[in-house]
Amino acid sequence: MRIALFGDIHANLEALEAVLEDAREQHCSDYVCLGDVVGYNANPAECLEIVREMNCPVVKGNHDEDAAGDHSLETMNPTAATALMWTREQLTPEQRLWLRKLRIVRQVADFTVVHSTLDQPTNWNYVTNRFDAMSNFSYQFTQVCFHGHTHVPRVYIKDSKVHEVAAESVVVEPGAKYFINAGSVGQPRDGDWRSCYAIYDIESRLIVFRRVEYDLAKTQRKILESGLPPMLAERLADGR
Ligand code: ZN
């Protein structure tokens, strides 16, 4: 079984379609979505419907929660808040209800998925170093857990201690735990503009990261035409 782990799509339709096409070419048989289907970019309803029709396990991201609710976004950074207010208007009540009902943590096959971290997952804390990862490992009861949220692919391994290794292919070895950030489909922030997702081959225990090009100019044009903040189009080119 080859499972595609993809998240932080953020309403980037061109990126989502490119990733799903790549996953098919890579012979993925199953799909798991790590949350933040909407927010930031110009096609929230289209991306939501694609993910929903895939009928795969999906966990809730903080942007999914904010797009689904009616609460104030005052404490959020202004650009993200502007995009979320716009996103709320694009979605039907029924689509927002689908987002609201997404689960926070799920177990799939022999691994766990969560958007942020298993340590207080609805606080939406960011795991950016091995000390943050240590807090997660205290609550990780499967050998492997996939997450997203920072938009930066990362591999944290816990054996006798917790360490971080480059987000390249990794083999799941007995006696160690793995906390894997699959990167972002729709708004990568590691300096590489290409979409990122991960593939887990259950039989060979191999996890690989994929980078996929998409029609960036088209995505940027749609952001500008929709009246979203122009910096959301600019940052996609920088991968920031
Ligand atoms: Zn996100």
Side-chain angles (χ1 to χ4, degrees):
M1 184 162 45
R2 285 169 65 74
I3 306 178
L5 292 307
F6 67 105
D8 292 290
I9 299 152
H10 286 295
N12 185 335
L13 179 61
E14 290 69 35
L16 176 60
E17 288 176 337
V19 159
L20 295 179
E21 187 181 337
D22 187 76
R24 273 192 299 276
E25 286 169 9
Q26 292 294 312
H27 308 294
C28 289
S29 53
D30 293 82
Y31 295 81
V32 177
C33 178
L34 300 169
D36 274 4
V37 178
V38 302
Y40 290 128
N41 299 310
N43 289 111
E46 292 83 355
C47 289
L48 185 154
E49 289 305 331
I50 288 173
V51 172
R52 173 154 66 170
E53 281 167 25
M54 289 171 73
N55 207 17
C56 63
V58 184
V59 286
K60 188 192 283 184
N62 51 315
H63 284 252
D64 302 324
E65 179 163 284
D66 286 335
D70 295 306
H71 52 279
S72 159
L73 302 169
E74 267 172 18
T75 55
M76 198 169 215
N77 97 58
T79 307
T82 301
L84 274 165
M85 293 304 291
W86 180 89
T87 299
R88 285 177 177 177
E89 291 168 12
Q90 308 304 311
L91 300 174
T92 65
E94 192 267 338
Q95 288 170 326
R96 294 174 72 201
L97 181 64
W98 183 80
L99 289 173
R100 196 172 307 140
K101 286 169 129 178
L102 291 174
R103 281 155 57 182
I104 298 293
V105 179
R106 294 190 69 144
Q107 191 170 336
V108 182
D110 62 351
F111 59 87
T112 310
V113 286
V114 64
H115 182 66
S116 57
T117 164
L118 295 172
D119 169 27
Q120 298 181 298
T122 52
N123 282 359
W124 311 111
N125 295 324
Y126 291 91
V127 176
T128 59
N129 56 53
R130 66 193 187 91
F131 301 102
D132 300 333
M134 272 178 209
S135 307
N136 169 80
F137 279 121
S138 305
Y139 297 88
Q140 183 178 322
F141 304 114
T142 53
Q143 191 183 15
V144 178
C145 177
F146 290 95
H147 70 125
H149 196 39
T150 64
H151 300 200
V152 175
R154 282 265 195 282
V155 175
Y156 298 100
I157 303 176
K158 180 177 190 290
D159 38 37
S160 56
K161 59 180 175 36
V162 173
H163 45 117
E164 180 186 335
V165 300
E168 294 165 359
S169 56
V170 56
V171 176
V172 175
E173 306 274 8
K177 280 185 179 177
Y178 297 80
F179 186 46
I180 311 274
N181 190 317
S184 170
V185 170
Q187 195 195 73
R189 294 180 192 162
D190 60 341
D192 183 342
W193 69 274
R194 297 172 302 166
S195 291
C196 185
Y197 77 104
I199 299 174
Y200 183 24
D201 187 312
I202 296 275
E203 281 77 32
S204 67
R205 314 296 282 161
L206 177 68
I207 297 165
V208 296
F209 294 88
R210 299 281 304 166
R211 299 306 294 236
V212 183
E213 294 189 3
Y214 66 94
D215 192 342
L216 173 65
K218 186 174 178 184
T219 304
Q220 290 178 310
R221 197 165 57 241
K222 287 200 275 191
I223 292 168
L224 298 174
E225 285 171 1
S226 65
L228 284 161
M231 74 85 71
L232 291 173
E234 291 158 22
R235 69 186 297 177
L236 290 179
D238 300 330
R240 295 288 172 203

